[in-house]
């Protein structure tokens, strides 16, 4: 079963990811606000993943699919992941900042900062059957364990960021699935319970506004965690954003064409837009005078360039291997 609301959520998350990268290293209050309000993006993608993986479970047709389903799902993400990782590693080497352990970074999502999400996604793909079986048999225990794992990892990350824990881990704690478990299992739970879908807009919008205000207020209290998407305040904000966007999309019988277009090319946009920003940064810093763009201009550059690259990939013969969307086949009856 396909939900049109998921396209709206996917498009919003893709737009927010671009804003996070554009506003990184913020210097003004406005840039900080945009950066923090966009922090729902990566957790939202994982909620969408859990929501999608629970389709058969919601329809009462779930059976562990084993390696067959895992291979099918991984075939959509691993080729683009490795190809783009290699491209970013080469770019960084050409820019004079080669990675010390390129092979390790290639395998663990460290080739470029935003690729850690796909490494986390792969972990949940491998564990999808386990989580669906656990939700089917012991839903309350699973949610409690997911909450404990998520908050526990958030606490470790917070202590590490504030210098309270001094240890060196070969793999960043952010790239381990434990910290993201509640988002993924939350997506499964949302797919199995439909009552929340009838939440009126007059409830979802105020809830979202309060959660957004909480994010902005708590960010000033813990500035060392402002660049992290694993914070307790963001947990409430992510699901409040989900509820509001779902409610808004539910009011449209058909989502606007631009929203559906962005959702269709969201994966390619996610992969390509940092390359556009990185190339722009390299070009401007090596040419006088250096060109400084304001936040709206940088956003248009990252979004427009990334979307153009994603659309171009969909037209290439093997563009899907780089994250391009599958081209829609024209109906022959329509040409008669």
């Amino acid at each position: 079963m396909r939900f049109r609301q998921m396209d709206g959520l996917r498009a919003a998350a893709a737009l927010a990811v671009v804003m996070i990268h554009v506003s990184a290293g913020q210097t003004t209050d406005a840039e900080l606000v945009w950066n923090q309000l966009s922090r729902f993006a990566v957790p939202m993608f994982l909620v969408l993943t859990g929501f999608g993986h629970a389709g058969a479970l919601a329809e009462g047709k779930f059976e562990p699919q084993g390696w067959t389903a895992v291979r099918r799902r991984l075939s959509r993400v691993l080729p683009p992941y490795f190809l783009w990782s290699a491209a970013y590693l080469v770019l960084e080497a050409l820019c004079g900042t080669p990675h010390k352990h390129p092979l390790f970074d290639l395998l663990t999502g460290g080739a470029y900062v935003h690729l850690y999400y796909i490494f986390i996604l792969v972990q949940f793909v491998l564990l999808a059957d386990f989580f669906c079986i656990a939700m089917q048999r012991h839903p309350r225990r699973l949610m409690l364990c997911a909450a404990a794992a998520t908050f526990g990892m958030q606490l470790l990350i917070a202590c590490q960021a504030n210098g309270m824990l001094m240890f060196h881990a070969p793999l960043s704690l952010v790239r381990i699935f434990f910290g993201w478990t509640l988002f993924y299992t939350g997506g499964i739970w949302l797919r199995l319970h439909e009552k929340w879908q009838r939440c009126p807009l007059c409830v979802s919008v105020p809830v979202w506004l309060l959660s957004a205000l909480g994010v902005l207020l708590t960010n000033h209290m813990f500035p060392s965690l402002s660049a992290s998407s694993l914070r307790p305040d963001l947990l409430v904000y992510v699901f409040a954003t989900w509820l509001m966007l779902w409610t808004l999309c539910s009011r449209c019988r058909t989502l606007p064409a631009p929203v559906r277009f962005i959702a269709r090319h969201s994966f390619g946009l996610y992969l390509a837009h940092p390359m556009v920003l990185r190339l722009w940064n390299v070009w401007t810093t090596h040419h006088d005078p250096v060109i400084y763009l304001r936040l709206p201009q940088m956003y248009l550059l990252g979004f427009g360039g990334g979307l153009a690259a994603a659309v171009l990939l969909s037209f290439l013969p093997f563009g899907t291997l780089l994250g391009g969307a599958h081209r829609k086949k024209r109906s022959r009856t329509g040409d008669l």
Side-chain angles (χ1 to χ4, degrees):
M1 182 179 179
R2 180 176 176 80
F3 294 87
R4 68 181 184 279
Q5 294 90 339
M6 292 184 70
D7 282 341
L9 293 163
R10 189 175 293 108
L15 293 172
V17 164
V18 179
M19 178 56 73
I20 289 175
H21 295 150
V22 168
S23 58
Q26 62 279 348
T27 57
T28 67
D29 289 338
E31 291 171 341
L32 177 63
V33 168
W34 280 110
N35 183 275
Q36 293 303 299
L37 292 183
S38 300
R39 285 284 164 186
F40 70 89
V42 173
M44 180 71 74
F45 278 130
L46 293 173
V47 177
L48 284 165
T49 300
F51 193 90
H53 286 178
L57 185 61
E59 296 172 4
K61 304 176 182 178
F62 172 74
E63 293 182 3
Q65 299 180 43
W67 179 242
T68 302
V70 170
R71 184 175 57 184
R72 184 182 71 252
R73 290 166 177 166
L74 290 182
S75 66
R76 301 172 185 171
V77 297
L78 284 185
Y81 165 73
F82 284 121
L83 291 172
W84 279 98
S85 293
Y88 281 113
L89 287 172
V90 171
L91 177 63
E92 292 303 307
L94 293 175
C95 293
T97 54
H99 288 231
K100 294 182 179 179
H101 307 287
L103 181 58
F104 180 78
D105 291 339
L106 178 72
L107 297 175
T108 59
Y112 204 70
V113 63
H114 77 299
L115 292 174
Y116 76 95
Y117 158 71
I118 301 183
F119 183 70
I120 298 167
L121 176 63
V122 169
Q123 296 174 64
F124 282 116
V125 168
L126 295 173
L127 296 169
D129 278 353
F130 166 79
F131 280 108
C132 287
I133 292 172
M135 183 64 78
Q136 186 180 45
R137 298 179 180 177
H138 308 288
R140 293 183 179 179
R141 293 180 184 178
L142 175 62
M143 295 305 294
L144 286 174
C145 290
T150 297
F151 288 123
M153 188 60 76
Q154 288 180 352
L155 179 61
L156 284 176
I157 292 173
C159 291
Q160 189 180 44
N162 287 280
M164 299 173 64
L165 287 178
M166 302 299 292
F167 65 92
H168 174 72
L171 189 64
S172 171
L173 297 178
V174 175
R175 300 185 214 169
I176 302 174
F177 75 93
F178 289 111
W180 306 91
T181 306
L182 195 54
F183 297 112
Y184 180 78
T185 55
I188 298 175
W189 187 93
L190 290 170
R191 186 64 181 268
L192 300 180
H193 300 80
E194 299 180 354
K195 292 183 178 179
W196 61 270
Q197 297 181 19
R198 295 189 288 272
C199 178
L201 202 60
C202 61
V203 173
S204 61
V205 171
V207 169
W208 179 83
L209 289 173
L210 288 173
S211 65
L213 181 61
V215 168
L216 297 178
L217 292 176
T218 54
N219 174 69
H220 289 288
M221 297 170 59
F222 306 101
S224 62
L225 298 175
S226 62
S228 173
S229 294
L230 282 179
R231 310 197 310 257
D233 55 338
L234 285 175
L235 179 67
V236 178
Y237 178 62
V238 169
F239 286 103
T241 304
W242 171 286
L243 182 63
M244 183 196 66
L245 292 175
W246 189 283
T247 306
L248 286 172
C249 294
S250 298
R251 297 172 69 90
C252 305
R253 298 189 64 177
T254 303
L255 292 178
V259 174
R260 288 183 278 117
F261 184 80
I262 294 173
R264 181 167 174 262
H265 295 284
S266 59
F267 190 40
L269 171 61
Y270 166 81
L271 292 167
H273 80 273
M275 180 71 77
V276 174
L277 296 173
R278 187 71 175 94
L279 290 173
W280 170 262
N281 181 63
V282 171
W283 185 81
T284 56
T285 54
H286 287 78
H287 291 79
D288 293 326
V290 177
I291 303 173
Y292 295 98
L293 299 180
R294 297 180 181 272
L295 181 63
Q297 297 169 322
M298 282 296 294
Y299 187 81
L300 288 176
L301 174 67
F303 171 70
L307 187 60
V311 173
L312 177 62
L313 291 176
S314 68
F315 283 95
L316 297 178
F318 301 101
T320 54
L321 295 177
L322 287 167
H326 290 278
R327 293 189 63 184
K328 294 182 179 180
K329 296 181 180 180
R330 294 183 179 180
S331 174
R332 292 187 177 182
T333 57
D335 297 332
L336 297 178

